[in-house]
Amino acid sequence: MQKLYFFLIIFTFGCIQNIEAQKPLKPNSINIYHQIQKLNFLGSVLYIAAHPDDENTRLITFLANEKKARTGYLSLTRGDGGQNLIGPELRELLGTIRTQELIEARKIDGGEQFFTRANDFGFSKTPTETLNIWNKDAVLSDVIYNIRKFQPDVIINRFDARTPGTTHGHHTASAMLSLEAFDKTNKNDIYPEQLNLVSTWQPKRVYFNTSWWFYGSKEKFEKADKSKLSALNIGVYYPSVGKSNQEIAALSRSQHQSQGFGSTGTRGDEIEYLELLKGDMPQNPNDLFEGIDTTWNRIKGGKTIGDLLTQVEKNFDFKNPSASVPDLIKAYSMIQLLDDHHWKEIKSEEIKNIIAACTGLYLEAVTSVNDATPGSKIKIKLEAINRSNLNINWPSFTLLPTTNIDAQTLLRPVQSETFTLKNNKDITEEVDFIIPEKITYTQPYWLENEGNVGMYRVDDQKKIGLPDVIREVKVIFNLDFSGVSIPFERTAVYKYNDDVKGEVYQPFDIVPEISTTITNKVLLFNKHRAQEIEVKVKAGREKVNGQLMLQLPPEWKITPTNFNFDLDQKGAEQTFIFEVTPPKNPIEITAQVIALVNNKPFNQERINISYPHIAQQQVLKNSQARLIKLDIKTGDEKIAYIMGAGDEVPKYLKQMGYEVSIVNPEDITAEKLASFDVVMTGIRAYNTIQALALKQSILLDFVKQGHTMIVQYNTLDDLVTPNMSPYPLKISRDRVTEENAEVTFLDPENPILNKPNKITTKDFTGWKQEQGLYYPNQWDTTFKSIISAHDQGETPKNGAILVAPVGKGHYIYTGLSFFRELPEGVSGAYRLLANMISLK
């Protein structure tokens, strides 16, 4: 039932008022009426692009709500390769956040969300590079599978397949794959293994959602010939919710908080343009569904259902929605007789939700704890209430997944008063549930197996495309409506009352008995001296004990070799310290932690991701750390670090031995900085911290007195001050995306390349995802450019490290991606950064 998840939240207007993750919807009469209107529309559109934030929420909102079409967004990636404006999470953890942000966005705009297995490996300049890294065949297979499963009448591409090299390679690749899929998805010999789960399908037409951006400027677009473009006025106003289409779309767009895409809604007419790429052009080019039967008549046996539901819509009583239920029950029964499995499944879920809404039916399964281990027993509180005068019986419920109790479906006693759900009588029942031993731990399914740079590994075809974490503990309420049995599935959740927030919902997670965490994910060993490695052990259940071991190659000495742990309480933690002595020669290894409980190994770290705008997430990763025996010299500089858009650089500076203080920008004064040797700004600090505009003169005075200021990359948009640098400097979109692009030293005698560490080209080996980004491309002659590199086929990019004297000190601007390389344990990045900090 996971694939039907979004039918529970597909309707926009009921979601605008309450978007807190996990809370059940409580639709009003207007919501219900619009759901009935959507029930009577059997047309669908699939929007395709590359990343979270690529989707046009204005158009998705319009199609889902004004046109009443089933509207989906297929994002080829989960946005793993970007930056994070709200926290330190990067890579797969950032992808987990952005997945949830897309889910929350779709709750608002009325769309559904889908993905492929493609991994967002970072910026790519050409679709050729993108498709080589992604595994084109696998991603094309996923696109075709999503199309066959969703069965869109219309496909809309966000990007143009005909202009490679003019935008992100992922963007162009998404359009290219969409067009290729359009031609192949109806062929039986294309990925025939999918046809056990889905059938071939041929969309009617595919469009490119063009705009002024693709023409270079608004002026050029205004002058362009638009006679062959479809024009949709998406600036409609919905009086039932008092919002324009664009205002709803802005709320959806604003869910992309990790990217800083808060959006202000607009009002009034606004045109979206579509260019037909394949398929037949409608006689009325502004009607995307012309020539497509979007009524119930498109299904064999559907006409009588459509006639009945038309009367339901016509006669809907806003004061008494339950009056529609008898006809809705008839329609539900008729839908169950359809041969068309696709529409039968979709419309069954839609009409069930409408029936529940019309009767004020509230069904919930709440666990006694927020997480539990396999094999443990929990209590689940079931609640059911019927707030209508209709007769509804509750003869049984089904617990999923199947456990070792006597029966999967539990019959409720006929003689019980709770057999009948009487009007406004709240019924609760508490049941014991034994979690199966073989249940899967809760985490994003695409992270369960190790993938590669370009692809996540998902072996189960049925899971491909699913947006969310798969939570297996569910309850099916089997209800009887005057002889018609209808199952209502509810995923078990945990909730509690917060003194400030009130009712708070959280997902119910399955967790390991023991999880382990190495506190520092990168440890530097500068000399042949021992270091302490801190390992935390956390209990997932009560009374768990075992043995903890740190696994290292034999040339590394570990004292002691193991610890015994004994934890009485669930959630209890113990911390253990291993003393580790490195070998003499420089080397990099991965340390693994193993906890043995009854001879069963546990080697995973539990990472909880919690932000107010998304559902809480649990990610399980191998409990490991990078240990680096590094030939590095550092000074004793004291560093004042100004956090930007979220990074973990200060943690790794401390690992290098520096004394680091996080400084609040608002508190910056000359006196505050007097005790420091270096000021360092985090990534995008001058994009995100308004206070820096008022503190810049203090910072530059600090440099003039003989100190160093290191400014990490900023984007060229929305700088808080034009005077970020003491001399003219213009940031561009230049970047070097090839991690191991050859580096040339432009100023080989510069101290940054020589003191205290001798930097060679070997120090740029093994960088991850990119060398750097948003390099300046124009700067004052006072600056010295230190290094140069470029991607294949491009001109040299010389803006990676720029150094200029300011009074007695130095100002350094760098676009190198230290925020990625330090957490990855790239030794050359540490050595180079040490030299920048030591500059005198």
Side-chain angles (χ1 to χ4, degrees):
M1 301 298 288
Q2 178 72 16
K3 59 188 173 182
L4 298 174
Y5 171 77
F6 275 93
F7 295 130
L8 300 178
I9 52 178
I10 191 172
F11 183 63
T12 300
F13 301 116
C15 303
I16 293 171
Q17 300 168 12
N18 178 19
I19 60 172
E20 182 177 334
Q22 299 299 310
K23 274 197 173 183
L25 298 179
K26 299 173 183 178
N28 58 39
S29 293
I30 294 174
N31 305 152
I32 298 169
Y33 180 70
H34 284 287
Q35 290 184 52
I36 292 172
Q37 288 181 311
K38 288 181 75 73
L39 185 63
N40 274 328
F41 192 92
L42 278 70
S44 53
V45 180
L46 184 62
Y47 200 90
I48 297 179
H51 310 108
D53 86 349
D54 285 345
E55 81 274 28
N56 184 338
T57 56
R58 298 181 304 276
L59 189 53
I60 289 175
T61 303
F62 175 79
L63 293 169
N65 297 290
E66 176 63 15
K67 293 299 183 183
K68 307 295 187 295
R70 184 183 180 218
T71 307
Y73 174 44
L74 174 58
S75 175
L76 269 57
T77 76
R78 296 177 184 266
D80 327 79
Q83 288 81 54
N84 185 359
L85 294 187
I86 60 174
E89 297 88 355
L90 294 174
R91 293 302 305 144
E92 68 274 10
L93 299 183
L94 177 58
T96 301
I97 291 173
R98 291 188 174 177
T99 293
Q100 292 302 313
E101 290 179 336
L102 275 177
I103 289 171
E104 295 304 315
R106 298 294 81 79
K107 289 180 183 180
I108 294 171
D109 60 37
E112 301 176 53
Q113 186 60 52
F114 307 101
F115 295 96
T116 74
R117 289 169 293 173
N119 191 335
D120 178 4
F121 55 83
F123 191 88
S124 177
K125 294 182 179 178
T126 68
T128 301
E129 178 195 46
T130 295
L131 295 174
N132 285 337
I133 296 176
W134 270 354
N135 182 345
K136 178 194 171 185
D137 184 69
V139 183
L140 176 63
S141 168
D142 291 359
V143 174
I144 288 178
Y145 181 70
N146 275 285
I147 292 173
R148 287 172 170 174
K149 187 176 178 182
F150 189 75
Q151 295 190 11
D153 298 305
V154 176
I155 292 175
I156 301 175
N157 292 340
R158 184 54 174 145
F159 299 104
D160 192 350
R162 300 161 296 188
T163 56
T166 59
T167 182
H168 197 321
H170 297 183
H171 293 169
T172 311
S174 71
M176 294 168 64
L177 291 170
S178 173
L179 292 177
E180 186 172 349
F182 183 87
D183 292 334
K184 293 181 174 180
T185 188
N186 197 33
K187 296 180 179 179
N188 287 309
D189 59 344
I190 301 296
Y191 307 116
E193 68 280 0
Q194 297 179 1
L195 301 182
N196 294 322
L197 299 172
V198 293
S199 59
T200 58
W201 178 255
Q202 183 57 60
K204 187 77 169 179
R205 47 187 72 106
V206 58
Y207 292 94
F208 161 45
N209 182 197
T210 190
S211 70
W212 68 264
W213 190 89
F214 295 96
Y215 285 72
S217 69
K218 293 181 179 179
E219 292 75 16
K220 291 180 180 179
F221 187 57
E222 288 176 0
K223 297 176 183 178
D225 179 12
K226 303 183 187 64
S227 61
K228 296 184 179 180
L229 301 181
S230 298
L232 305 179
N233 185 353
I234 55 89
V236 298
Y237 172 67
Y238 303 110
S240 57
V241 292
K243 288 182 173 64
S244 70
N245 189 81
Q246 301 98 310
E247 287 173 315
I248 296 171
L251 293 172
S252 171
R253 182 75 171 171
S254 296
Q255 295 309 298
H256 296 299
Q257 293 185 22
S258 67
Q259 304 190 65
F261 282 154
S263 180
T264 299
T266 60
R267 291 148 292 280
D269 289 346
E270 185 174 346
I271 306 299
E272 285 288 342
Y273 291 95
L274 303 175
E275 177 186 355
L276 184 70
L277 300 178
K278 292 188 176 186
D280 58 336
M281 173 65 82
Q283 290 185 0
N284 176 4
N286 300 332
D287 183 358
L288 304 188
F289 291 100
E290 186 177 86
I292 302 170
D293 191 348
T294 58
T295 72
W296 281 91
N297 295 338
R298 75 182 296 170
I299 304 174
K300 181 182 178 181
K303 184 179 185 305
T304 54
I305 299 173
D307 291 343
L308 177 58
L309 291 176
T310 297
Q311 291 303 309
V312 170
E313 180 178 340
K314 180 180 178 181
N315 299 324
F316 183 74
D317 186 345
F318 287 85
K319 293 183 178 180
N320 182 22
S322 65
S324 298
V325 171
D327 283 341
L328 289 169
I329 296 293
K330 290 180 185 177
Y332 172 82
S333 299
M334 295 163 68
I335 291 171
Q336 305 318 298
L337 301 176
L338 293 174
D339 294 328
D340 189 310
H341 176 74
H342 175 72
W343 284 111
K344 176 182 176 180
E345 191 172 40
I346 293 168
K347 293 304 177 180
S348 290
E349 287 302 307
E350 288 185 10
I351 200 168
K352 280 162 58 176
N353 294 327
I354 294 171
I355 291 169
C358 285
T359 56
L361 188 62
Y362 187 86
L363 304 171
E364 190 170 71
V366 177
T367 59
S368 54
V369 289
N370 66 330
D371 58 53
T373 58
S376 61
K377 184 169 74 172
I378 64 170
K379 292 187 180 296
I380 302 179
K381 180 182 177 181
L382 308 181
E383 179 182 0
I385 185 169
N386 163 32
R387 287 167 287 190
S388 73
N389 290 318
L390 282 92
N391 292 324
I392 303 176
N393 289 330
W394 181 17
S396 66
F397 58 88
T398 305
L399 298 175
L400 297 176
T402 304
T403 68
N404 58 356
I405 55 180
D406 292 337
Q408 180 180 357
T409 301
L410 304 181
L411 298 177
R412 310 187 73 254
V414 175
Q415 68 272 20
S416 170
E417 292 183 3
T418 60
F419 182 86
T420 300
L421 299 180
K422 297 181 179 180
N423 185 12
N424 214 31
K425 299 296 182 182
D426 197 21
I427 304 300
T428 61
E429 185 166 331
E430 193 170 73
V431 297
D432 290 331
F433 180 68
I434 300 175
I435 298 171
E437 290 283 356
K438 294 184 178 181
I439 196 170
T440 303
Y441 298 136
T442 305
Q443 72 162 324
Y445 70 86
W446 58 95
L447 299 179
E448 289 176 7
N449 299 305
E450 186 174 354
N452 55 44
V453 173
M455 297 292 295
Y456 284 120
R457 178 184 161 192
V458 180
D459 297 331
D460 186 347
Q461 180 70 52
K462 294 190 293 295
K463 293 180 180 179
I464 292 174
L466 297 181
D468 205 357
V469 173
I470 299 171
R471 290 186 164 86
E472 298 182 58
V473 179
K474 303 174 187 292
V475 175
I476 297 177
F477 293 78
N478 301 304
L479 303 185
D480 183 277
F481 294 78
S482 302
V484 177
S485 179
I486 302 180
F488 292 86
E489 183 181 288
R490 296 294 183 265
T491 300
V493 296
Y494 174 72
K495 72 175 181 180
Y496 64 94
N497 184 74
D498 181 272
D499 289 343
V500 176
K501 299 177 182 178
E503 187 178 56
V504 176
Y505 281 77
Q506 289 181 352
F508 171 70
D509 291 337
I510 306 298
V511 303
E513 293 178 46
I514 280 290
S515 57
T516 60
T517 302
I518 302 179
T519 304
N520 291 314
K521 298 299 184 287
V522 175
L523 289 101
L524 302 180
F525 294 78
N526 194 12
K527 297 178 181 179
H528 191 63
R529 285 191 300 210
Q531 276 212 61
E532 293 182 342
I533 296 183
E534 182 180 89
V535 180
K536 293 182 179 180
V537 179
K538 184 174 183 178
R541 63 171 174 84
E542 293 182 348
K543 299 187 183 307
V544 58
N545 58 73
Q547 191 176 72
L548 181 71
M549 295 172 288
L550 185 64
Q551 295 186 330
L552 295 175
E555 61 267 28
W556 293 71
K557 182 181 177 182
I558 310 172
T559 304
T561 57
N562 59 72
F563 287 99
N564 292 323
F565 60 85
D566 192 348
L567 301 169
D568 285 335
Q569 299 297 319
K570 174 183 175 180
E573 286 188 346
Q574 279 185 280
T575 300
F576 300 95
I577 304 294
F578 291 93
E579 187 176 86
V580 175
T581 305
K584 293 182 179 180
N585 297 324
I587 189 173
E588 299 181 19
I589 64 162
T590 299
Q592 302 273 355
V593 174
I594 300 290
L596 288 178
V597 178
N598 297 325
N599 291 321
K600 181 179 179 180
F602 292 88
N603 64 344
Q604 290 181 306
E605 173 185 5
R606 282 176 61 189
I607 301 171
N608 289 316
I609 299 174
S610 182
Y611 291 98
H613 67 301
I614 59 175
Q616 183 173 298
Q617 300 295 297
Q618 171 181 280
V619 177
L620 301 176
K621 296 181 67 175
N622 286 339
S623 187
Q624 59 187 33
R626 294 287 293 164
L627 305 190
I628 306 172
K629 174 61 168 61
L630 182 62
D631 179 17
I632 183 174
K633 300 180 180 67
T634 59
D636 57 0
E637 290 84 3
K638 294 182 179 180
I639 301 173
Y641 198 93
I642 302 170
M643 293 298 293
D647 64 61
E648 294 186 301
V649 170
K651 179 198 300 187
Y652 298 102
L653 292 173
K654 292 177 182 178
Q655 271 282 308
M656 295 168 72
Y658 294 110
E659 183 179 331
V660 183
S661 299
I662 305 298
V663 176
N664 184 339
E666 309 241 343
D667 297 337
I668 291 174
T669 63
E671 293 74 20
K672 182 91 172 179
L673 298 180
S675 61
F676 295 101
D677 304 292
V678 177
V679 165
M680 192 169 182
T681 63
I683 59 175
R684 298 184 66 176
Y686 283 92
N687 297 123
T688 59
I689 303 176
Q690 191 65 42
L692 286 178
L694 303 175
K695 303 295 184 177
Q696 189 66 4
S697 61
I698 299 174
L699 292 170
L700 293 181
D701 284 343
F702 169 82
V703 180
K704 291 175 184 176
Q705 293 167 11
H707 304 299
T708 299
M709 182 174 181
I710 302 172
V711 177
Q712 297 183 79
Y713 96 92
N714 293 271
T715 66
L716 65 165
D717 301 319
D718 301 322
L719 291 169
V720 299
T721 173
N723 301 315
M724 176 186 65
S725 165
Y727 311 109
L729 177 150
K730 184 177 180 181
I731 300 172
S732 73
R733 298 188 186 277
D734 287 352
R735 61 180 76 204
V736 178
T737 63
E738 295 171 13
E739 302 94 326
N740 293 320
E742 183 179 355
V743 175
T744 301
F745 294 163
L746 301 176
D747 187 9
E749 302 304 316
N750 194 285
I752 285 179
L753 299 176
N754 294 279
K755 299 178 182 179
N757 303 287
K758 181 66 177 178
I759 302 299
T760 71
T761 54
K762 290 183 180 179
D763 287 297
F764 291 90
T765 300
W767 285 49
K768 307 297 183 183
Q769 187 165 320
E770 64 209 355
Q771 276 189 8
L773 61 170
Y774 291 102
Y775 292 170
N777 63 356
Q778 297 178 34
W779 52 83
D780 189 86
T781 56
T782 310
F783 281 105
K784 282 188 177 181
S785 178
I786 307 301
I787 65 173
S788 177
H790 61 88
D791 292 329
Q792 291 185 19
E794 293 197 352
T795 58
K797 303 296 183 285
N798 300 338
I801 306 175
L802 300 175
V803 185
V806 180
K808 298 177 182 179
H810 293 88
Y811 176 96
I812 303 173
Y813 186 91
T814 179
L816 293 174
S817 58
F818 289 110
F819 73 102
R820 293 196 193 280
E821 311 314 321
L822 300 187
E824 293 285 351
V826 177
S827 58
Y830 281 93
R831 287 162 46 82
L832 180 58
L833 186 55
N835 284 12
M836 294 167 67
I837 292 169
S838 297
L839 184 63
K840 304 297 182 186

